[in-house]
């Protein structure tokens, strides 16, 4: 059974730092891109960052570039999100998510976010 | 960035109704479109991948269609557990973007 278990959320002061962790199990972790998605209270879903299987490629939404770092430890089947210079607008539930490729041809491989953790809440106080 | 616009933002329907939700992309995204269902306080669940693929374990009353810029999610016969929120997402290019969500409510 695929499981993703986030930890590390909590209440932090504006400008502070925090690291989220995600422990993966039930699948071959280093076969998949991994993703963080967040959801502010009462708002929609927002993609935050992606990381390639070997960690060699990383992508971020513009609003977090330079402040957030995604990383992974394949030996520990773990995904991380390091926050620096937290802002009030970073307050959200953060989900650790597996990205799966659904290839229909050699040139078309759409991704879908097929397994989600339960989420961890990050609250940034002003 | 590719903008995803869902309509309607909310709708009211009855058990057994056929419901269609629309998602429009600001540029051509081929079939790089997914649909998610989210219950209150829970993580989203992938329903439809690549515009029309039914994710394993998802009931067959859910279906997706479309390509390019216009996509639809159809629920053929609403069940009580379907009165929740649905969101579309494009994975054609980063930043991956979601629609604002459609809340399906009981009439």
């Amino acid at each position: 059974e695929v499981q993703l278990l986030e930890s590390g959320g909590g209440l932090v002061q504006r400008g502070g730092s925090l690291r989220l962790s995600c422990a993966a199990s039930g699948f071959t972790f280093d076969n998949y891109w991994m993703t963080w998605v967040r959801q502010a209270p009462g708002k929609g879903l927002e993609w935050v960052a992606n990381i390639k299987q070997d960690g060699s490629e990383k992508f971020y939404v513009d609003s977090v570039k330079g402040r957030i770092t995604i990383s992974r430890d394949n030996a520990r089947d773990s995904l991380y999100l390091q926050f620096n210079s937290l802002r009030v607008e970073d307050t959200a539930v953060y989900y650790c998510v597996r990205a799966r490729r659904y290839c229909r041809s050699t040139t078309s491989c759409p991704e879908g976010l097929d397994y989600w953790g339960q989420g961890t809440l990050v609250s940034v106080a002003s | 960035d590719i903008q995803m616009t869902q309509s309607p933002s909310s709708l009211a329907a009855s058990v057994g109704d056929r419901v269609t939700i629309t998602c429009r992309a600001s540029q051509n995204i081929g079939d790089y479109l997914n649909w998610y269902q989210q219950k209150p306080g829970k993580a989203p669940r992938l329903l439809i991948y690549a515009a029309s693929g039914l994710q394993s374990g998802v009931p067959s009353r859910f279906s997706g269609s479309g390509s390019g810029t216009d996509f639809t999610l159809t629920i053929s016969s609403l069940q009580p557990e379907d009165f929740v929120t649905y969101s579309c997402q494009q994975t054609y290019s980063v930043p991956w973007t979601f629609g604002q969500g459609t809340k399906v409510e009981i009439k």
Side-chain angles (χ1 to χ4, degrees), chain B residues 7-45:
Chain B
S7 60
S9 296
S10 65
L11 66 90
S14 302
V15 172
D17 283 354
R18 180 184 181 89
V19 165
T20 298
I21 299 168
T22 297
C23 184
R24 174 165 287 175
S26 60
Q27 66 183 72
N28 188 338
I29 60 170
D31 62 353
Y32 284 60
L33 188 284
N34 305 309
W35 290 97
Y36 301 88
Q37 177 193 65
Q38 189 175 22
K39 298 179 179 181
K42 299 294 186 182
R45 170 197 185 192

Side-chain angles (χ1 to χ4, degrees), chain B residues 13-79:
Chain B
S14 302
V15 172
D17 283 354
R18 180 184 181 89
V19 165
T20 298
I21 299 168
T22 297
C23 184
R24 174 165 287 175
S26 60
Q27 66 183 72
N28 188 338
I29 60 170
D31 62 353
Y32 284 60
L33 188 284
N34 305 309
W35 290 97
Y36 301 88
Q37 177 193 65
Q38 189 175 22
K39 298 179 179 181
K42 299 294 186 182
R45 170 197 185 192
L46 179 64
L47 298 177
I48 302 290
Y49 62 85
S52 60
L54 188 67
Q55 177 68 358
S56 175
V58 174
S60 59
R61 64 181 181 273
F62 293 93
S63 64
S65 64
S67 67
T69 61
D70 294 306
F71 303 86
T72 58
L73 172 71
T74 300
I75 310 171
S76 61
S77 178
L78 272 173
Q79 298 303 300

Side-chain angles (χ1 to χ4, degrees), chain A residues 20 34-40 44-51 58-70 79-83 86 89-97 113 116 122, chain B residues 89 94-98:
Chain A
L20 304 183
M34 295 297 295
T35 298
W36 287 98
V37 173
R38 68 184 177 183
Q39 187 169 35
L45 300 165
E46 181 181 39
W47 170 83
V48 175
N50 279 356
I51 185 167
K58 304 175 184 181
F59 300 95
Y60 302 92
V61 67
D62 281 351
S63 60
V64 307
K65 282 180 183 176
R67 302 188 300 113
I68 287 180
T69 301
I70 189 172
L79 178 71
Y80 306 100
L81 195 66
Q82 174 72 43
F83 297 82
L86 276 160
E89 55 266 34
D90 294 322
T91 294
V93 173
Y94 285 76
Y95 295 102
C96 167
V97 193
L113 302 179
W116 297 63
V122 174
Chain B
Q89 178 213 20
V94 291
W96 291 351
T97 44
F98 290 86

